[in-house]
Amino acid sequence: TATRETLRVFLAGLAPYEQVGLIAISSQPQGVAPVGMDIPSLMGKLDAIEAQGGSALYDSLKTAIDQLT
């Protein structure tokens, strides 16, 4: 999808010292990749996500914030 490809371009452009994680937004947040995972592994996790369910956006944002604090 266009979203997946946009994320792949973003991830490929990160500097080696930058760290990201990945949370799938569905009917409930799903931690897919923890902050600090290497980029090739994270891209593999991104490719494995399948769209399903609703969009628990606020719960997912809270999960992301909790991972950073």
Side-chain angles (χ1 to χ4, degrees), residues 3 46 57:
T3 303
L46 174 64
L57 179 60

Side-chain angles (χ1 to χ4, degrees), residues 7-35:
L7 285 170
R8 290 182 69 76
V9 170
F10 170 77
L11 293 171
L14 291 175
Y17 59 86
E18 295 177 302
Q19 296 185 356
V20 297
L22 183 61
I23 295 173
I25 300 172
S26 187
S27 54
Q28 60 182 338
Q30 300 172 8
V32 175
V35 174

Side-chain angles (χ1 to χ4, degrees), residues 15 34 36 40 60:
S60 298

Side-chain angles (χ1 to χ4, degrees), residues 28-58:
Q28 60 182 338
Q30 300 172 8
V32 175
V35 174
M37 177 178 272
D38 64 280
I39 299 303
S41 295
L42 199 143
M43 285 189 183
K45 297 283 189 177
L46 174 64
D47 290 339
I49 296 173
E50 294 184 22
Q52 60 183 347
S55 296
L57 179 60
Y58 295 109

